[in-house]
Amino acid sequence: MSENRRVNLHHPKKKKRKRIVRWILMPLLLITVTVGAYGAHLYSKAESVINKSYQPIDREGKRANVNPFEENISVLFIGVDDSQKRKLEGNTRTDAMMLATFNKDDKSVKLLSIPRDSYVYIPGQDVYTKINHAHAYGGVEMTLDTVENLLDVPVDYYVKMNFNAFMDVIDALNGIEVDVPVTFTEQDSKDKAGAITLEKGLQTLNGEEALALARTRKIDNDIERGKRQQLIIKAIISKAASAKSVANYTDVMEAIGENMSTDLRFNEMVSFIDYATAGNKLSTETLNLAGADSRINGIYYYQLDEAALAQTKLELQTHLGLAETTTTETETGTTTDTGITTDPATTTETTPSY
C-alpha cells in the first residue's frame, strides 16, 4: 500500500443530515462485509471477493497510512464508464466521484459529491481542466492527487467501480423501486441512442434503466444528477436490506468483486461495520460543492465558488481531526499577521495538522 497520501477539499452551501441510506457506494460495500454476521459461508465469500479486488496504489500523499480501526479516515469513491467504446477512445474518465470522511468518535460521516465538470488544477499535468480528466491522464493515482490538491485533505483509500457493477447489482436484486422525477429518453450502456425511455412516476427499474437515470445529463445539471444517484443508491440499500434479498447476496458480491478495485484490505473494510451498526446514532451529512456554470474558450465547466470551497475544506479537515485552531484577540484598527486590517473581533486561524 502507499506510504503517503495527499489532501484537499471543497464545501457546499447547505448540508442535510441523512441516514445511512443516503450514502452512495459505501452502503453497498458495508452490506457485502456485514453479511458475514449471518454465516461463515457468506463471510468467506465476501473476504474472497474483496481480496480479488485489492489493488494498492504506490504514491506519495498528504499523510502516511492510517489505521481505520483507530483513526478518522477518508475514502474516495470513483465511478467510471470503461465500456469497450470508451476504451477505444482512450483512457476512461470518471463519471462520478464522492469523498467520504469518517469520524470514529462521533460515528459520523460526511459525503461530498464532486461534479465531474469541476474546473480544477491537475497535478502532474500542470493544467486546469475538468476534474474527470484526471483519471484519463493518470488513472486512480492522479485522481487521488487531484482531489487532495483540490480539497486540502488526505485521501486515505479509494474504491473504484464501473457501470457493470452498478447494473449487475440491481439485476441481482431483481430490480429496484424508484420514483422517476421526469419523463426522458436516454442511451443505454452500449451507447445506443434513444434505447431507454422512462416515464415519470414510481416504478421498478432494472440495471440498464437505473443506469440511464443515474447518467442522464439532459434533464438538469451535475448537482441534480448527483442527487438522482443518491436516490438510486437509497433504493438499492432499501432493497438489499430486505429479508427476501438475503438469497441474492452471493450474486451481489460477485457483481461487485468482478467490477471493483480498491486499496482497502478485507480486514480494514470490516472496520466500517461499527458505522453500519450505529443505527440512529449514526450522523450522516450529504455535501455538494457550490459553483456556477461557465465557459472557457467555448468549453463548459463547473466553476467552483472559492469562498464556499474554503469552508468545505475546513469542515472536512475538522471532521478528520486535522484542523489545528488558534484564536487571537485583535484591537480596533490593528493589523493581524496576515496583513489584513480587522475590526475588534476574535480571529480564528485553522491549519491542517497532517
Side-chain angles (χ1 to χ4, degrees):
M1 288 179 67
S2 168
E3 287 298 322
N4 297 307
R5 307 272 179 157
R6 282 191 195 178
V7 183
N8 234 339
L9 280 196
H10 253 110
H11 189 46
K13 294 180 180 178
K14 291 187 179 181
K15 336 157 237 188
K16 297 182 179 179
R17 292 199 173 277
K18 306 289 184 179
R19 290 193 178 189
I20 189 172
V21 293
R22 300 300 288 170
W23 302 2
I24 301 283
L25 293 176
M26 195 46 142
L28 212 50
L29 299 176
L30 288 171
I31 286 175
T32 300
V33 176
T34 310
V35 79
Y38 299 104
H41 169 71
L42 289 179
Y43 188 88
S44 177
K45 180 66 175 180
E47 182 175 18
S48 174
V49 166
I50 299 304
N51 287 342
K52 288 180 181 178
S53 301
Y54 180 65
Q55 293 184 25
I57 303 294
D58 184 16
R59 72 184 187 102
E60 291 186 359
K62 293 238 176 228
R63 65 174 175 179
N65 293 336
V66 296
N67 184 340
F69 289 94
E70 299 178 356
E71 302 175 70
N72 303 325
I73 66 166
S74 63
V75 181
L76 182 66
F77 297 98
I78 305 169
V80 298
D81 177 2
D82 60 357
S83 62
Q84 189 59 36
K85 178 181 178 180
R86 296 295 182 272
K87 290 178 179 178
L88 291 175
E89 292 175 348
N91 292 330
T92 58
R93 299 173 183 177
T94 52
D95 203 62
M97 268 190 289
M98 294 193 180
L99 180 73
T101 58
F102 298 83
N103 186 289
K104 62 179 180 59
D105 294 327
D106 297 341
K107 284 297 178 290
S108 60
V109 181
K110 292 185 186 294
L111 183 62
L112 176 68
S113 179
I114 306 174
R116 52 174 282 169
D117 292 330
S118 298
Y119 186 67
V120 304
Y121 179 71
I122 309 292
Q125 291 294 310
D126 194 27
V127 297
Y128 281 86
T129 186
K130 297 180 180 182
I131 195 168
N132 71 335
H133 290 190
H135 192 271
Y137 285 134
V140 171
E141 181 176 358
M142 192 165 291
T143 300
L144 297 174
D145 290 345
T146 300
V147 172
E148 285 190 339
N149 185 73
L150 172 67
L151 300 178
D152 198 22
V153 296
V155 179
D156 299 310
Y157 299 100
Y158 82 92
V159 176
K160 184 174 85 169
M161 297 180 72
N162 63 27
F163 288 159
N164 289 332
F166 183 85
M167 293 187 296
D168 289 349
V169 165
I170 292 173
D171 288 337
L173 294 171
N174 297 318
I176 57 172
E177 191 173 60
V178 177
D179 191 357
V180 179
V182 63
T183 298
F184 71 96
T185 298
E186 185 57 79
Q187 66 185 22
D188 62 13
S189 63
K190 305 297 183 183
D191 296 322
K192 181 180 178 181
I196 297 174
T197 296
L198 294 179
E199 301 292 333
K200 178 180 179 180
L202 187 65
Q203 57 200 282
T204 298
L205 305 181
N206 61 29
E208 279 280 4
E209 293 167 337
L211 179 62
L213 179 60
R215 294 178 66 189
T216 188
R217 304 172 73 190
K218 300 176 181 177
I219 59 179
D220 39 46
N221 53 46
D222 257 356
I223 295 297
E224 294 304 315
R225 185 169 178 261
K227 293 178 181 178
R228 290 199 308 276
Q229 291 171 353
Q230 292 178 348
L231 179 69
I232 292 171
I233 296 303
K234 176 180 178 179
I236 292 175
I237 301 309
S238 177
K239 183 65 174 290
S242 66
K244 62 182 179 181
S245 295
V246 173
N248 301 92
Y249 279 157
T250 297
D251 291 338
V252 170
M253 286 187 286
E254 287 289 359
I256 295 173
E258 294 175 2
N259 299 286
M260 180 184 79
S261 60
T262 180
D263 58 353
L264 274 164
R265 296 180 184 274
F266 181 76
N267 67 321
E268 294 171 330
M269 200 171 286
V270 169
S271 68
F272 294 106
I273 292 179
D274 284 345
Y275 292 92
T277 57
N280 292 334
K281 295 182 179 179
L282 177 69
S283 171
T284 306
E285 283 187 89
T286 302
L287 310 178
N288 294 289
L289 291 175
D293 298 339
S294 68
R295 286 193 174 275
I296 302 175
N297 297 325
I299 300 175
Y300 170 80
Y301 295 96
Y302 185 69
Q303 194 80 45
L304 299 171
D305 181 284
E306 290 300 322
L309 176 58
Q311 182 59 34
T312 299
K313 292 179 180 181
L314 175 58
E315 183 169 355
L316 292 174
Q317 291 165 2
T318 301
H319 192 238
L320 288 171
L322 300 176
E324 292 183 345
T325 301
T326 58
T327 302
T328 58
E329 295 293 334
T330 61
E331 298 178 357
T332 304
T334 60
T335 302
T336 65
D337 59 2
T338 62
I340 300 175
T341 301
T342 64
D343 292 326
T346 296
T347 301
T348 301
E349 299 178 357
T350 305
T351 305
S353 61
Y354 43 83

